[in-house]
Amino acid sequence: MKILLIFGENLYHYQKQVLIELLELKNLEVYLLSCSYRMKIPTDSHFIRVINQKFPVHKTNPYSFERAGDFINEAIGTELFHPHIHYDYVINFCDETAITDFEIQFGFILKPSIDAKNWYGASIKQNTDTIINLLFSRDNKDFIPFKSMSFSTELGTYNNRNKALYYFSYLIKSVFNANDYAVTKSDKNDYYFLKYWLYYFKLLKIIFLRKFSKVQFNWKIAVLENNVPRIITQEAGDFEADPFIIKEFNNNWIFFEDFDRKTNLGKISVINLQENKTIKKETVLEKPYHLSFPNVFKLDNHYFMMPEESESEEQNIYKATQFPYRWEKHKTIFKNIKIVDPVFIFSEGRYWLFFNKIENFEYENNERLYLYSSTDLFSDEWKSHPQNPVVIDKTRARNAGKIRKEDQHFIRISQNCKITYGKNICKNKITYLSRDRYTEENLSYAPNFNSYYGFHTLNVEDDLAVIDLLIKETAIT
């Protein structure tokens, strides 16, 4: 299938992201063309931008650009526009005249519907979701809505607009990988001048309360007994999260993120749960960057750990040299990628690795789930699933523990981050898994621990279930 992307004089960052996503699909021939079109870019208020940056979403302005012609001449994996080729799809970021000026032969034209005012309004009205739309035409005259998707609305009008622009890359990619993302119906998001400034007054109030708050929220590890949580790490001020359990002989080893507020870094520690009591916490893995989510597992009679270490832009697997206290790097399976909360399963002769991924243009990602596969867990040549991101949904995208089997089905445990990060967890039954298709079904599971502020990890080994719970404590200075 032949795809032509038409850029204006400048190639904007969000447009380049579209190209990056399309180049992941092996069945496409991608051609590039630049024209003299110059997009009108809205001028952002410096004051409003500063407030937005207190609710960090994106590091990179989607309107930052490079010269399209310079990029096209050096682009790898693409070809230059040729007037005698008939293109199955044209993705046009310019005005309609580019099609006629270059006498482009096409089957269909796609273009994003840029609706910044509506995206601002979704943020001001505090809608749970924002919608973006892709338009379609057969004749370059009449454009109709073709495909849409929803994403979780962000605090800050600029943040929400920027997210909308970047998410066009996933929406456009979904046209060619047979992925359909959820669409939440929404009215037109009109707003007026006073409401705009009242909204930003509320954000200033949030910033002020954060700065002078005398409380802090800390994660604590708990076990479930008849579905009732019992906290087992109760030291005031300690932040201990992401518990994973290994049962070995009479030992219940619980590995977890041990966060130090002074350095703002996590390390991996372990405790032994014996007769409902914890025995000596000890650090087992520490780096000059943040570590969390210590996915510990046994394979071929050896113990391994696949923690989150996104700040290093690598994903490593560590091997126990003296379990559970000593670990060494065994294999780097990914480089130049910020992987969050990785878990895996083995099925149909392949390892399937599920994780969130932080793009270079953003600070965090709780909304998009990615899937990669390999015949060897320790390979450094994993294949990206063509439907990536396989899930875009803040209620279930981020992993919350190991995938396990229930009634012959793989059940993926995930966080519900719709209200806030780590608010609760849910279960998702994997209904179809192949090298070109992935589907899952959200199951009815929402434990109600009302006296706690969050719950974002669940791991089970035999009859022992470990979780983490968020509590409020007096800030320790």
Side-chain angles (χ1 to χ4, degrees), residues 296-341:
V296 179
F297 56 93
K298 191 174 186 179
L299 188 64
D300 297 333
N301 293 318
H302 295 284
Y303 287 103
F304 298 92
M305 183 194 303
M306 187 188 295
E308 181 202 319
E309 45 187 338
S310 59
E311 286 187 9
S312 72
E313 299 191 18
E314 290 185 350
Q315 184 58 62
N316 298 301
I317 297 178
Y318 297 83
K319 184 178 181 180
T321 56
Q322 183 186 333
F323 184 83
Y325 298 115
R326 297 187 183 279
W327 300 79
E328 67 179 12
K329 184 188 291 188
H330 180 68
K331 179 67 176 180
T332 301
I333 60 173
F334 284 88
K335 289 184 177 181
N336 302 315
I337 183 172
K338 299 173 185 176
I339 288 176
V340 177
D341 297 353

Side-chain angles (χ1 to χ4, degrees), residues 76 104 119 184 191 198 206 210 216 221 223 246-247 272-273 285-286 299 301 311 331 346 370 389 413 420 435 442:
I76 298 174
I104 296 171
W119 304 332
T184 304
Y191 61 92
L198 285 173
I206 293 172
R210 280 179 184 172
Q216 63 182 206
I221 298 171
V223 294
I246 293 289
K247 300 191 80 168
N272 192 359
L273 183 64
L285 189 62
E286 189 171 10
L299 188 64
N301 293 318
E311 286 187 9
K331 179 67 176 180
F346 183 77
Y370 291 82
I413 310 299
T420 186
R435 296 178 71 174
N442 186 243

Side-chain angles (χ1 to χ4, degrees), residues 241-256:
D242 300 345
F244 283 74
I245 184 167
I246 293 289
K247 300 191 80 168
E248 182 207 37
F249 303 113
N250 296 320
N251 297 304
N252 299 306
W253 300 108
I254 300 175
F255 297 83
F256 58 93

Side-chain angles (χ1 to χ4, degrees), residues 133-397:
N133 299 294
L134 192 61
L135 304 179
F136 166 92
S137 178
R138 294 177 184 271
D139 58 10
N140 198 35
K141 296 177 182 177
D142 299 318
F143 284 85
I144 60 174
F146 174 58
K147 200 166 188 181
S148 304
M149 69 176 290
S150 301
F151 60 81
S152 292
T153 302
E154 298 294 338
L155 285 174
T157 54
Y158 296 168
N159 286 336
N160 205 48
R161 176 203 64 196
N162 294 353
K163 186 174 181 179
L165 291 171
Y166 280 122
Y167 270 51
F168 274 114
S169 62
Y170 311 121
L171 180 58
I172 291 173
K173 183 181 180 181
S174 75
V175 174
F176 307 105
N177 69 6
N179 204 346
D180 288 311
Y181 298 119
V183 181
T184 304
K185 291 185 178 180
S186 175
D187 297 328
K188 193 72 174 176
N189 294 308
D190 293 326
Y191 61 92
Y192 50 87
F193 181 79
L194 180 59
K195 195 166 187 177
Y196 181 85
W197 287 105
L198 285 173
Y199 171 72
Y200 273 97
F201 176 78
K202 290 179 181 178
L203 296 190
L204 283 171
K205 183 179 178 182
I206 293 172
I207 295 169
F208 179 83
L209 292 175
R210 280 179 184 172
K211 186 174 181 64
F212 296 101
S213 175
K214 294 184 179 180
V215 301
Q216 63 182 206
F217 291 89
N218 291 313
W219 291 97
K220 305 294 182 182
I221 298 171
V223 294
L224 284 180
E225 298 171 342
N226 297 319
N227 210 35
V228 177
R230 178 175 64 85
I231 292 177
I232 59 175
T233 56
Q234 300 187 14
E235 189 71 27
D238 281 3
F239 182 119
E240 295 155 331
D242 300 345
F244 283 74
I245 184 167
I246 293 289
K247 300 191 80 168
E248 182 207 37
F249 303 113
N250 296 320
N251 297 304
N252 299 306
W253 300 108
I254 300 175
F255 297 83
F256 58 93
E257 172 197 344
D258 191 1
F259 184 75
D260 186 338
R261 289 190 178 277
K262 293 180 181 178
T263 62
N264 280 326
L265 296 177
K267 56 189 176 184
I268 306 304
S269 294
V270 68
I271 54 176
N272 192 359
L273 183 64
Q274 292 288 328
E275 298 180 352
N276 294 324
K277 295 181 180 179
T278 59
I279 300 175
K280 190 183 179 182
K281 178 172 76 172
E282 188 162 334
T283 299
V284 298
L285 189 62
E286 189 171 10
K287 298 287 183 180
Y289 48 81
H290 180 72
L291 295 172
S292 62
F293 204 78
N295 182 2
V296 179
F297 56 93
K298 191 174 186 179
L299 188 64
D300 297 333
N301 293 318
H302 295 284
Y303 287 103
F304 298 92
M305 183 194 303
M306 187 188 295
E308 181 202 319
E309 45 187 338
S310 59
E311 286 187 9
S312 72
E313 299 191 18
E314 290 185 350
Q315 184 58 62
N316 298 301
I317 297 178
Y318 297 83
K319 184 178 181 180
T321 56
Q322 183 186 333
F323 184 83
Y325 298 115
R326 297 187 183 279
W327 300 79
E328 67 179 12
K329 184 188 291 188
H330 180 68
K331 179 67 176 180
T332 301
I333 60 173
F334 284 88
K335 289 184 177 181
N336 302 315
I337 183 172
K338 299 173 185 176
I339 288 176
V340 177
D341 297 353
V343 296
F344 70 89
I345 57 175
F346 183 77
S347 177
E348 303 296 328
R350 299 186 71 81
Y351 288 93
W352 302 88
L353 187 62
F354 298 74
F355 54 79
N356 295 82
K357 178 175 67 170
I358 302 173
E359 299 285 5
N360 288 331
F361 60 78
E362 63 188 353
Y363 285 96
E364 187 57 282
N365 167 25
N366 302 318
E367 192 169 32
R368 303 187 310 277
L369 177 70
Y370 291 82
L371 177 59
Y372 284 68
S373 70
S374 172
T375 56
D376 178 7
L377 181 63
F378 302 102
S379 171
D380 56 6
E381 296 182 357
W382 289 75
K383 302 296 184 184
S384 174
H385 198 280
Q387 289 187 312
N388 275 334
V390 292
V391 172
I392 295 182
D393 186 344
K394 221 168 191 176
T395 67
R396 61 187 175 96

Side-chain angles (χ1 to χ4, degrees), residues 224 243 245 402 404 406 458-466:
L224 284 180
I245 184 167
K402 289 184 179 180
R404 65 178 191 268
E406 295 181 7
L458 169 63
N459 280 297
V460 179
E461 187 77 18
D462 296 334
D463 58 345
L464 182 59
V466 293

Side-chain angles (χ1 to χ4, degrees), residues 14-65:
Y14 80 92
Q15 297 171 350
K16 188 173 180 179
Q17 191 64 27
V18 172
L19 176 60
I20 290 170
E21 292 296 329
L22 289 180
L23 288 177
E24 289 192 355
L25 300 178
K26 305 305 180 186
N27 61 331
L28 301 183
E29 296 177 35
V30 179
Y31 295 77
L32 305 179
L33 171 66
S34 65
C35 61
S36 59
Y37 174 76
R38 287 192 177 185
M39 183 184 297
K40 294 181 179 179
I41 304 300
T43 302
D44 289 347
S45 160
H46 178 73
F47 173 70
I48 298 300
R49 192 187 315 120
V50 168
I51 297 176
N52 274 254
Q53 290 169 350
K54 299 297 182 180
F55 302 89
V57 178
H58 298 100
K59 293 181 178 179
T60 308
N61 183 343
Y63 288 124
S64 61
F65 67 87

